């Protein structure tokens, strides 16, 4: 019974919708595979404004995004070190996250992230 | 002018192992890096983070990996040119003339770009007005601390550089320390010291503030800071110092006439040559179908690029493949019996 793909789909979506909003307001809706990070979703879908120089090792702060309050609290909590890296980001504030640290899951279907004016 | 068989741009793990491979096949090289130390991202970004995917090394830190690579190329006595950056590459009768920011010149048939994601540069203030004072009163590093004597100095940042300089300069200057949140990432002892100095009014501490503007007619006079509630304060400042770590920027590489795909250089996978004859790209900076940004891939790429260099450095010789276990020539080069 468990091998039935339809059975699975009812519980875990293969793809999750993430909305990336550029600094100029331009919206990009991307289908991101469950389990990838928001950063990887941006890179795979050629969304401008997320550089991700270090490739996701939380050591460059060039995948910085802002997440508004309605979504911010639903995100996985920051791990140690993320705020330290955010200190170095371009214009960080209390809505800042590193998108490489946000794993995409069903709960985040429809997540909106705002991309800063620039990463450096 | 220094003549060499190859100039390697970047002293990260990929550049170091490529140097090893050049040495093994009997070629010389000179290695240039913008940082003041050898190791690239491994040393600058994650010296203490364990790496688990170096073949046959179950676990090592960025620093250990770098030290082992340095040890491995020691027999070849290659020169490192640190704190220097390759600025310009010009073709001259089939050779490349490589010029650095510090005025060094190399003549070589081969340039191997192992530049990671570019060179490390200090992150700057986002405020446009800070550019006007860049290098004079808005600074991102300190060469001579005596210029701050009896001056008003505003220091931004929450890491060790910001804290250490705030403590140090509080002896000779009127220091304000501004940081975007209450927590500091610097060493706990330094944080403690800063809090003490702030309590004694020796340092003005502003947390949850960031820079808004810098002002001055001719010379810098004040810096305006803001918090997230939109409140702002104006501080008197002769100097503004920013310590936000380093960022990797492609820099001059973008101007060498190489094909670029986003921030990476496309190469062929036979010898990792770019669209320019004698210019190779290896490691994170190169791209090709199936590219993996792993250190082990960089090692492989460096080994093949070194063989590619042989063709141009020794046009009249035929490259002969040899194993280090069996070749007496290689053992001689390594200085082992």
């Amino acid at each position: 019974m468990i091998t039935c793909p339809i059975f699975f789909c009812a519980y875990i979506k293969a793809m999750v919708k993430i909305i990336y909003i550029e600094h100029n307001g331009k919206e990009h809706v991307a289908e991101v595979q469950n389990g990838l990070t928001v950063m990887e979703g941006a890179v795979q879908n050629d969304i401008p404004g997320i550089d991700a120089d270090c490739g996701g090792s939380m050591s460059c702060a060039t995948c910085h995004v802002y997440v508004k309050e309605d979504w911010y609290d639903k995100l996985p909590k920051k791990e140690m070190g993320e705020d330290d890296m955010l200190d170095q980001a371009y214009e960080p504030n209390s809505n800042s996250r590193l998108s490489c640290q946000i794993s995409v899951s069903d709960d985040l279907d429809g997540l909106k992230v705002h991309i800063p004016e620039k990463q450096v | 002018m220094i003549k060499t068989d190859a100039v390697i741009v970047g002293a990260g793990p990929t550049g170091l192992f490529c140097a090893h491979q050049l040495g093994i096949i009997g070629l010389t090289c000179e290695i240039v890096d913008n940082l003041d130390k050898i190791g690239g991202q491994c040393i600058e970004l994650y010296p203490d983070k364990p790496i688990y995917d170096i073949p046959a090394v179950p676990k090592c830190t960025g620093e250990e990996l770098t030290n082992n690579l340095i040890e491995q190329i020691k027999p070849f006595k290659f020169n490192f040119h640190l704190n220097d950056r390759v600025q310009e590459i010009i073709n001259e009768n089939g050779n490349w003339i490589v010029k650095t920011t510090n005025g060094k010149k190399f003549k070589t048939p081969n340039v191997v770009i192992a530049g990671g994601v570019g060179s490390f540069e200090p992150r700057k203030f986002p405020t446009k007005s800070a550019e006007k004072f860049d290098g004079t009163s808005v600074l991102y590093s300190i060469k001579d601390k005596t210029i701050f004597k009896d001056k008003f100095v505003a220091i931004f940042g929450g890491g060790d550089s910001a804290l250490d300089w705030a403590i140090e300069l509080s002896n000779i200057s009127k220091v304000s320390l501004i940081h975007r949140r209450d927590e500091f990432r610097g060493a706990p002892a330094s944080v403690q010291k800063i809090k003490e100095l702030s309590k004694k009014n020796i340092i003005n501490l502003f947390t949850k503030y960031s820079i808004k503007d810098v002002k001055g007619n001719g010379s810098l006079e004040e810096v305006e800071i803001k918090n997230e509630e939109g409140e702002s304060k104006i501080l008197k400042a002769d100097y503004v110092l920013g310590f936000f770590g380093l960022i990797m920027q492609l820099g001059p590489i973008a101007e060498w006439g190489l094909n670029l795909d986003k921030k990476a250089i496309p190469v062929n996978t036979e010898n990792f040559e770019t669209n320019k004859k004698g210019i190779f790209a290896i490691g994170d900076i190169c791209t090709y179908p199936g590219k993996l940004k792993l250190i082990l891939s960089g090692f492989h790429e460096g080994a093949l690029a070194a063989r590619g260099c042989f063709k141009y450095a020794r046009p009249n010789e035929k490259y002969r493949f040899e194993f280090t276990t069996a070749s007496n020539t290689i053992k001689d080069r390594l200085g082992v019996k």
Side-chain angles (χ1 to χ4, degrees):
Chain A
M1 177 181 85
I2 266 167
T3 52
C4 167
I6 295 163
F7 178 85
F8 263 124
C9 287
Y11 291 92
I12 301 170
K13 290 198 186 83
M15 302 298 261
V16 175
K17 192 192 285 174
I18 304 289
I19 302 153
Y20 299 86
I21 304 161
E22 284 186 67
H23 188 69
N24 61 17
K26 193 173 171 196
E27 275 195 23
H28 304 261
V29 181
E31 296 285 325
V32 180
Q33 201 184 322
N34 208 321
L36 290 183
T37 65
V38 172
M39 176 278 280
E40 289 168 314
V43 170
Q44 286 185 358
N45 289 286
D46 286 323
I47 288 158
I50 293 189
D51 295 350
D53 283 347
C54 77
S57 64
M58 201 166 74
S59 43
C60 75
T62 62
C63 66
H64 171 210
V65 294
Y66 303 111
V67 183
K68 292 211 169 133
E69 290 74 15
D70 49 344
W71 279 105
Y72 193 89
D73 298 333
K74 296 180 191 152
L75 299 180
K77 293 279 165 286
K78 283 180 203 162
E79 287 208 27
M80 237 183 55
E82 184 175 341
D83 255 320
D84 290 348
M85 279 323 299
L86 280 168
D87 282 350
Q88 306 182 28
Y90 179 85
E91 300 223 306
N93 65 28
S94 51
N95 294 90
S96 292
R97 288 297 306 258
L98 292 179
S99 57
C100 71
Q101 299 301 307
I102 308 173
S103 284
V104 167
S105 65
D106 284 356
D107 299 342
L108 299 185
D109 196 26
L111 169 70
K112 281 186 180 175
V113 298
H114 297 258
I115 300 171
E117 186 186 353
K118 48 185 180 176
Q119 292 289 351
V120 241
Chain B
M1 179 121 61
I2 303 167
K3 278 192 182 176
T4 180
D5 291 328
V7 168
I8 298 181
V9 184
T14 297
L16 293 175
F17 192 70
C18 181
H20 176 266
Q21 291 294 296
L22 289 165
I24 288 284
I25 62 174
L27 300 186
T28 60
C29 73
E30 303 278 329
I31 305 159
V32 183
D33 198 294
N34 193 35
L35 284 176
D36 58 358
K37 45 194 173 297
I38 300 169
Q41 287 185 52
C42 279
I43 229 54
E44 188 57 41
L45 294 184
Y46 49 87
D48 308 319
K49 277 191 195 169
I51 309 169
Y52 298 101
D53 56 359
I54 305 297
V57 182
K59 179 182 169 184
C60 75
T61 64
E63 189 175 13
E64 287 162 355
L65 182 78
T66 302
N67 289 341
N68 280 335
L69 285 163
I70 294 172
E71 182 68 30
Q72 201 167 14
I73 60 171
K74 238 182 204 157
F76 307 118
K77 300 188 177 71
F78 293 141
N79 290 321
F80 285 90
H81 307 269
L82 300 174
N83 266 323
D84 204 354
R85 188 169 80 168
V86 173
Q87 198 65 29
E88 216 183 335
I89 296 184
I90 306 158
N91 195 289
E92 198 182 88
N93 308 322
N95 275 304
W96 293 102
I97 306 298
V98 178
K99 292 182 185 172
T100 71
T101 320
N102 291 349
K104 282 186 184 148
K105 263 170 111 176
F106 303 93
K107 186 178 181 179
T108 179
N110 299 296
V111 177
V112 180
I113 304 172
V117 196
S119 56
F120 286 94
E121 313 280 342
R123 283 173 211 256
K124 302 198 165 182
F125 289 110
T127 27
K128 199 97 190 118
S129 50
E131 284 172 22
K132 199 168 68 171
F133 300 102
D134 198 332
T136 53
S137 35
V138 172
L139 304 172
Y140 301 96
S141 64
I142 294 177
K143 289 196 180 83
D144 172 16
K145 68 175 183 183
T146 60
I147 60 170
F148 304 111
K149 192 168 187 315
D150 302 325
K151 302 284 184 190
F152 286 84
V153 182
I155 300 177
F156 291 80
D160 282 316
S161 301
L163 302 186
D164 291 349
W165 279 116
I167 294 166
E168 172 80 23
L169 293 181
S170 68
N171 294 315
I172 55 166
S173 340
K174 191 68 200 139
V175 172
S176 300
L177 178 65
I178 304 101
H179 182 44
R180 73 167 188 104
R181 57 191 174 113
D182 285 328
E183 298 82 37
F184 290 86
R185 64 180 186 282
S190 312
V191 178
Q192 188 61 34
K193 181 87 184 155
I194 289 286
K195 288 185 175 157
E196 281 166 26
L197 291 170
S198 161
K199 226 176 250 171
K200 292 179 192 159
N201 288 322
I202 295 171
I203 284 178
N204 284 321
L205 182 60
F206 300 93
T207 54
K208 297 195 169 171
Y209 276 89
S210 59
I211 195 163
K212 186 177 175 192
D213 200 6
V214 291
K215 293 167 184 168
N217 275 327
S219 60
L220 184 70
E221 287 159 18
E222 53 196 30
V223 57
E224 189 174 4
I225 58 173
K226 59 171 185 205
N227 64 13
E228 279 192 36
E229 282 72 52
E231 296 157 16
S232 61
K233 282 183 199 292
I234 290 182
L235 312 176
K236 189 169 161 38
D238 301 302
Y239 289 96
V240 170
L241 305 175
F243 296 105
F244 305 111
L246 301 173
I247 183 75
M248 294 169 279
Q249 304 220 294
L250 201 52
I253 294 173
E255 282 136 44
W256 298 344
L258 301 169
N259 290 341
L260 285 177
D261 176 5
K262 287 182 189 155
K263 286 178 177 176
I265 304 170
V267 289
N268 75 57
T269 48
E270 189 187 328
N271 55 11
F272 295 86
E273 199 167 20
T274 65
N275 60 312
K276 299 257 182 197
K277 192 179 148 194
I279 299 188
F280 302 82
I282 57 175
D284 284 0
I285 204 161
C286 77
T287 184
Y288 51 86
K291 165 71 185 171
L292 283 179
K293 282 193 179 187
L294 289 178
I295 292 172
L296 73 92
S297 311
F299 290 162
H300 161 79
E301 292 155 10
L304 287 182
R307 272 72 186 180
C309 292
F310 190 90
K311 196 172 76 178
Y312 301 127
R314 304 278 185 274
N316 303 321
E317 289 175 35
K318 195 169 159 36
Y319 166 71
R320 209 162 63 91
F321 176 79
E322 290 179 298
F323 289 112
T324 58
T325 44
S327 161
N328 286 329
T329 322
I330 292 178
K331 284 179 184 167
D332 278 348
R333 287 172 189 148
L334 288 169
V336 294
K337 290 209 175 130

